[in-house]
Amino acid sequence: MRRRDDEKEKRIKDAVIELMLEEGFHGTSISKIARKAEVSPATVYIYYESKEAMLQSIYLEYSEEVYDYLLARVRPDMDGTQLIETLIREFYAYMLNHREAFSFVEQFSGCPALSSQCSGKKGICHIFELLSSLKEAHIVKPYSDEILSALIFSPVKTIAADSRKSRREQEALLEEMIQIVQDAILI
């Protein structure tokens, strides 16, 4: 039995993300992944039983990573204004600093046949728990967790994805959006 090697696994994940963004699901094969990761196709199967299992595993890992990243930046002493600003700014920073992984997650989540088979996403549940606690403390309005999450995070994606805007223009839009979201959801 061959041992798992963290470096090889990282190269495989990086190859998957790069190929998925370049060639899409159907253009990404195990042989292409292995070639890009500089491993044999048999090595890929040590880590993942199939292409679909591999994509789902990597999707779950990176989609959870963003929530862990955000929650690690929230402090208990923050008021509602600070908390909303932190979630928005840190989500924007994550998107800029992890552009390829984030793009992979977005592309994958747009494929219902694959993303629907991924269950047990804990990170979004923790975000929803945070939002629920803010509602219970009468800090945010009693909108559904899904609506609150969409109001906080979806506009950030739009701003960060607009390649026609400079970083300075994006940050100005982010400032405006933070104010709008705070006004819309804070009590």
Side-chain angles (χ1 to χ4, degrees), residues 86-130:
T86 297
L87 287 174
I88 291 171
R89 286 190 188 285
E90 293 298 334
F91 188 56
Y92 178 76
Y94 181 89
M95 289 177 63
L96 293 182
N97 295 326
H98 303 88
R99 199 172 283 280
E100 284 186 342
F102 191 82
S103 294
F104 169 79
V105 168
E106 286 296 295
Q107 181 175 344
F108 191 96
S109 59
C111 180
L114 293 172
S115 63
S116 66
Q117 296 174 29
C118 295
S119 60
K121 289 176 68 172
K122 297 175 292 203
I124 192 64
C125 292
H126 295 307
I127 293 288
F128 286 173
E129 287 170 10
L130 173 64

Coordinates of all heavy atoms in Angstrom, one line a residue, residues 86-130:
T86 N -16.5 43.8 9.2 CA -15.5 42.8 9.2 C -15.8 41.7 8.2 O -15.0 41.2 7.4 CB -15.2 42.3 10.6 OG1 -14.8 43.3 11.4 CG2 -14.2 41.1 10.6
L87 N -17.1 41.2 8.3 CA -17.4 40.1 7.4 C -17.3 40.5 5.9 O -16.8 39.7 5.1 CB -18.9 39.7 7.7 CG -19.1 38.9 8.9 CD1 -20.6 38.7 9.1 CD2 -18.4 37.5 8.9
I88 N -17.7 41.7 5.6 CA -17.6 42.2 4.2 C -16.2 42.4 3.8 O -15.8 41.9 2.7 CB -18.5 43.4 4.0 CG1 -20.0 43.1 4.2 CG2 -18.2 44.1 2.7 CD1 -20.9 44.3 4.2
R89 N -15.4 43.1 4.6 CA -14.0 43.4 4.2 C -13.2 42.1 4.1 O -12.4 42.0 3.2 CB -13.4 44.4 5.2 CG -13.9 45.8 5.1 CD -13.0 46.7 5.9 NE -13.6 48.0 5.9 CZ -13.6 48.9 4.9 NH1 -13.0 48.5 3.8 NH2 -14.2 50.0 4.9
E90 N -13.4 41.2 5.1 CA -12.6 40.0 5.1 C -13.0 39.0 3.9 O -12.2 38.4 3.4 CB -12.7 39.3 6.4 CG -12.0 40.1 7.5 CD -10.5 40.3 7.3 OE1 -9.9 39.5 6.6 OE2 -10.0 41.3 7.9
F91 N -14.3 39.0 3.6 CA -14.7 38.2 2.4 C -14.1 38.8 1.2 O -13.6 38.0 0.3 CB -16.2 38.3 2.4 CG -16.8 37.3 1.3 CD1 -16.5 36.0 1.4 CD2 -17.7 37.8 0.4 CE1 -17.1 35.1 0.4 CE2 -18.2 36.9 -0.6 CZ -17.9 35.6 -0.5
Y92 N -14.1 40.1 1.0 CA -13.4 40.7 -0.1 C -11.9 40.4 -0.2 O -11.4 40.0 -1.2 CB -13.6 42.2 -0.1 CG -13.0 43.0 -1.2 CD1 -13.5 43.0 -2.4 CD2 -11.8 43.8 -0.9 CE1 -12.9 43.8 -3.4 CE2 -11.2 44.5 -1.9 CZ -11.8 44.5 -3.2 OH -11.2 45.3 -4.1
A93 N -11.2 40.5 1.0 CA -9.8 40.2 1.1 C -9.6 38.7 0.7 O -8.6 38.4 0.0 CB -9.3 40.5 2.5
Y94 N -10.4 37.8 1.2 CA -10.3 36.4 0.9 C -10.4 36.2 -0.6 O -9.6 35.5 -1.2 CB -11.3 35.6 1.7 CG -11.1 34.1 1.4 CD1 -10.3 33.3 2.1 CD2 -11.8 33.5 0.3 CE1 -10.1 32.0 1.9 CE2 -11.6 32.2 0.0 CZ -10.8 31.4 0.8 OH -10.6 30.1 0.5
M95 N -11.4 36.8 -1.2 CA -11.6 36.6 -2.6 C -10.4 37.1 -3.4 O -9.9 36.4 -4.4 CB -12.8 37.4 -3.1 CG -14.1 36.7 -2.6 SD -15.6 37.6 -3.1 CE -15.5 37.5 -4.9
L96 N -9.8 38.2 -3.0 CA -8.6 38.7 -3.7 C -7.4 37.9 -3.5 O -6.6 37.6 -4.4 CB -8.3 40.2 -3.3 CG -9.3 41.2 -3.7 CD1 -8.9 42.6 -3.2 CD2 -9.6 41.2 -5.2
N97 N -7.2 37.4 -2.3 CA -6.0 36.6 -1.9 C -6.1 35.1 -2.3 O -5.0 34.4 -2.3 CB -5.7 36.8 -0.5 CG -5.3 38.2 -0.1 OD1 -4.7 38.9 -0.9 ND2 -5.7 38.6 1.1
H98 N -7.3 34.6 -2.6 CA -7.4 33.2 -2.9 C -8.3 33.1 -4.2 O -9.2 32.4 -4.3 CB -8.1 32.5 -1.8 CG -7.4 32.5 -0.5 ND1 -7.6 33.6 0.4 CD2 -6.4 31.7 0.0 CE1 -6.8 33.4 1.4 NE2 -6.1 32.3 1.2
R99 N -8.0 33.9 -5.2 CA -8.8 34.1 -6.4 C -9.1 32.8 -7.1 O -10.2 32.5 -7.5 CB -8.1 35.1 -7.3 CG -9.1 35.7 -8.3 CD -8.5 36.8 -9.1 NE -8.4 38.1 -8.4 CZ -9.3 38.9 -8.3 NH1 -10.5 38.7 -8.7 NH2 -9.2 40.1 -7.6
E100 N -8.1 32.0 -7.3 CA -8.3 30.7 -8.1 C -9.2 29.8 -7.3 O -10.1 29.2 -7.8 CB -7.0 30.1 -8.4 CG -6.3 30.7 -9.5 CD -5.0 30.0 -10.0 OE1 -4.5 29.1 -9.2 OE2 -4.6 30.3 -11.1
A101 N -8.9 29.6 -6.0 CA -9.7 28.7 -5.2 C -11.1 29.2 -5.1 O -12.1 28.4 -5.2 CB -9.1 28.5 -3.8
F102 N -11.3 30.5 -4.9 CA -12.7 31.0 -4.9 C -13.4 30.9 -6.2 O -14.6 30.5 -6.2 CB -12.6 32.5 -4.5 CG -14.0 33.0 -4.1 CD1 -14.5 32.8 -2.9 CD2 -14.8 33.6 -5.1 CE1 -15.8 33.2 -2.5 CE2 -16.0 34.1 -4.8 CZ -16.6 33.8 -3.5
S103 N -12.7 31.1 -7.3 CA -13.3 30.9 -8.6 C -13.7 29.5 -8.8 O -14.8 29.2 -9.4 CB -12.4 31.4 -9.7 OG -12.1 32.7 -9.6
F104 N -12.9 28.5 -8.4 CA -13.2 27.1 -8.5 C -14.5 26.8 -7.7 O -15.4 26.2 -8.2 CB -12.1 26.2 -8.0 CG -12.4 24.8 -7.8 CD1 -12.5 24.0 -8.9 CD2 -12.7 24.3 -6.5 CE1 -12.8 22.6 -8.7 CE2 -13.1 23.0 -6.4 CZ -13.1 22.1 -7.5
V105 N -14.6 27.3 -6.5 CA -15.8 27.1 -5.7 C -17.0 27.7 -6.4 O -18.1 27.0 -6.4 CB -15.6 27.7 -4.2 CG1 -17.0 27.7 -3.5 CG2 -14.6 26.9 -3.5
E106 N -16.9 28.9 -6.9 CA -18.0 29.5 -7.6 C -18.4 28.7 -8.8 O -19.6 28.5 -9.1 CB -17.7 30.9 -8.0 CG -17.7 31.9 -6.8 CD -19.0 32.0 -6.2 OE1 -19.9 32.5 -6.8 OE2 -19.1 31.6 -5.0
Q107 N -17.5 28.2 -9.6 CA -17.8 27.5 -10.8 C -18.4 26.1 -10.4 O -19.4 25.7 -11.0 CB -16.5 27.2 -11.6 CG -16.7 26.5 -12.9 CD -15.5 26.3 -13.7 OE1 -14.5 27.0 -13.6 NE2 -15.5 25.4 -14.7
F108 N -17.9 25.5 -9.4 CA -18.4 24.2 -9.0 C -19.8 24.3 -8.4 O -20.7 23.5 -8.7 CB -17.5 23.6 -7.9 CG -17.7 22.2 -7.6 CD1 -17.0 21.2 -8.2 CD2 -18.7 21.8 -6.7 CE1 -17.3 19.8 -8.0 CE2 -19.0 20.5 -6.4 CZ -18.3 19.5 -7.0
S109 N -20.0 25.4 -7.6 CA -21.4 25.5 -7.1 C -22.4 25.9 -8.1 O -23.6 25.7 -7.9 CB -21.4 26.6 -5.9 OG -21.0 27.8 -6.4
G110 N -22.0 26.3 -9.3 CA -22.9 26.5 -10.4 C -23.2 25.3 -11.2 O -24.0 25.3 -12.1
C111 N -22.7 24.2 -10.8 CA -23.0 22.9 -11.4 C -23.8 22.0 -10.5 O -23.3 21.3 -9.6 CB -21.7 22.2 -11.8 SG -21.9 20.6 -12.6
P112 N -25.1 22.1 -10.6 CA -26.0 21.4 -9.6 C -25.8 19.9 -9.5 O -25.9 19.3 -8.5 CB -27.4 21.7 -10.2 CG -27.3 22.9 -11.1 CD -25.9 22.8 -11.6
A113 N -25.4 19.3 -10.6 CA -25.2 17.8 -10.6 C -24.1 17.4 -9.6 O -24.1 16.4 -9.0 CB -24.9 17.3 -12.0
L114 N -23.1 18.3 -9.5 CA -22.0 18.0 -8.6 C -22.2 18.6 -7.2 O -22.0 17.9 -6.2 CB -20.7 18.5 -9.2 CG -20.2 17.8 -10.5 CD1 -19.1 18.6 -11.1 CD2 -19.9 16.4 -10.2
S115 N -22.6 19.9 -7.1 CA -22.6 20.5 -5.8 C -23.8 20.0 -5.0 O -23.7 20.0 -3.8 CB -22.7 22.0 -6.0 OG -23.9 22.4 -6.7
S116 N -24.9 19.5 -5.6 CA -26.0 19.0 -4.9 C -25.6 17.7 -4.1 O -26.3 17.4 -3.2 CB -27.2 18.7 -5.8 OG -26.9 17.7 -6.7
Q117 N -24.6 17.0 -4.6 CA -24.2 15.8 -3.9 C -23.3 16.1 -2.7 O -22.9 15.2 -2.0 CB -23.5 14.9 -4.9 CG -24.4 14.4 -6.0 CD -23.6 13.6 -7.0 OE1 -22.6 13.0 -6.7 NE2 -24.1 13.7 -8.3
C118 N -22.9 17.3 -2.5 CA -22.1 17.7 -1.4 C -23.0 18.2 -0.3 O -23.6 19.2 -0.3 CB -21.1 18.9 -1.8 SG -20.0 18.4 -3.1
S119 N -22.9 17.4 0.8 CA -23.8 17.7 1.9 C -22.9 18.0 3.1 O -21.7 17.6 3.1 CB -24.8 16.6 2.2 OG -24.1 15.4 2.5
G120 N -23.4 18.5 4.2 CA -22.7 18.6 5.4 C -21.8 19.8 5.5 O -20.8 19.8 6.1
K121 N -22.1 20.9 4.7 CA -21.3 22.1 4.8 C -21.5 22.8 6.1 O -22.5 23.4 6.4 CB -21.7 23.0 3.6 CG -21.2 22.5 2.3 CD -21.7 23.4 1.1 CE -21.0 24.7 1.2 NZ -21.3 25.5 0.0
K122 N -20.5 22.6 7.0 CA -20.6 23.1 8.3 C -20.4 24.6 8.4 O -21.0 25.3 9.2 CB -19.5 22.5 9.2 CG -19.7 21.0 9.4 CD -18.6 20.3 10.1 CE -17.4 20.4 9.3 NZ -16.3 19.5 9.5
G123 N -19.5 25.2 7.5 CA -19.2 26.6 7.6 C -20.4 27.5 7.5 O -20.5 28.5 8.3
I124 N -21.2 27.2 6.5 CA -22.4 28.1 6.3 C -23.3 28.0 7.5 O -23.9 28.9 7.9 CB -23.1 27.8 5.0 CG1 -24.1 28.9 4.7 CG2 -23.8 26.5 5.0 CD1 -23.6 30.3 4.5
C125 N -23.4 26.8 8.1 CA -24.2 26.6 9.3 C -23.7 27.5 10.5 O -24.5 28.1 11.2 CB -24.2 25.2 9.7 SG -25.1 24.1 8.6
H126 N -22.3 27.6 10.6 CA -21.8 28.5 11.6 C -22.1 30.0 11.3 O -22.3 30.7 12.2 CB -20.3 28.3 11.7 CG -19.9 26.9 12.2 ND1 -20.5 26.3 13.4 CD2 -19.1 26.0 11.7 CE1 -20.0 25.1 13.6 NE2 -19.2 24.9 12.6
I127 N -22.0 30.3 10.0 CA -22.4 31.7 9.7 C -23.9 31.9 10.0 O -24.2 33.0 10.6 CB -22.2 32.0 8.2 CG1 -20.7 32.0 7.8 CG2 -22.8 33.3 7.7 CD1 -19.9 33.1 8.3
F128 N -24.7 31.0 9.7 CA -26.2 31.1 10.1 C -26.3 31.2 11.6 O -27.2 31.9 12.1 CB -27.0 30.0 9.5 CG -27.2 30.1 8.0 CD1 -27.8 29.0 7.3 CD2 -26.8 31.2 7.2 CE1 -28.0 29.1 5.9 CE2 -27.0 31.2 5.9 CZ -27.6 30.2 5.2
E129 N -25.6 30.4 12.3 CA -25.6 30.5 13.8 C -25.3 31.9 14.3 O -25.9 32.4 15.2 CB -24.7 29.4 14.4 CG -25.2 28.0 14.3 CD -24.2 27.0 14.7 OE1 -23.1 27.4 15.3 OE2 -24.4 25.8 14.5
L130 N -24.2 32.4 13.7 CA -23.8 33.8 14.1 C -24.9 34.8 13.8 O -25.3 35.6 14.6 CB -22.5 34.2 13.3 CG -22.1 35.6 13.4 CD1 -21.7 35.9 14.9 CD2 -20.9 35.9 12.5

